[in-house]
Amino acid sequence: EQHNVLEKLNAEVFNGATYNRRLTMLKSFSDWLVRSKVWNDNPLKDVSRKKHKKVKSPKRKPFNESEIK
């Protein structure tokens, strides 16, 4: 059960930011399971976050007078 978590996380294709958010939530939940003595150890404790580049969106141009009318 415990070790399937990482397999399932890596089986899906995510953007780096989405992967990191989900990993953070799963690590927190796994830590809680360990503290609650449901699991003996956290299988995600040594999993690193993915590196990703933030994509800049192009700047929006303001409307000109003819487009407003």
Side-chain angles (χ1 to χ4, degrees):
E1 232 179 274
Q2 298 179 47
H3 302 288
N4 290 337
V5 174
L6 184 56
E7 289 174 18
K8 289 181 181 180
L9 180 64
N10 287 327
E12 297 187 43
V13 178
F14 299 115
N15 176 320
T18 302
Y19 178 90
N20 291 340
R21 271 194 310 275
R22 290 187 181 195
L23 179 62
T24 299
M25 289 185 287
L26 287 170
K27 278 184 173 185
S28 296
F29 182 64
S30 297
D31 285 338
W32 177 81
L33 289 170
V34 171
R35 285 193 310 274
S36 300
K37 300 187 186 330
V38 175
W39 285 359
N40 295 327
D41 64 328
N42 183 346
L44 301 174
K45 67 182 173 194
D46 296 325
V47 178
S48 299
R49 297 167 54 92
K50 285 188 177 179
K51 293 181 181 180
H52 68 283
K53 292 184 179 180
K54 194 171 191 176
V55 178
K56 291 184 180 181
S57 58
K59 297 248 181 194
R60 292 175 50 179
K61 295 180 184 177
F63 291 114
N64 60 36
E65 287 185 38
S66 64
E67 292 173 325
I68 295 174
K69 294 179 181 181

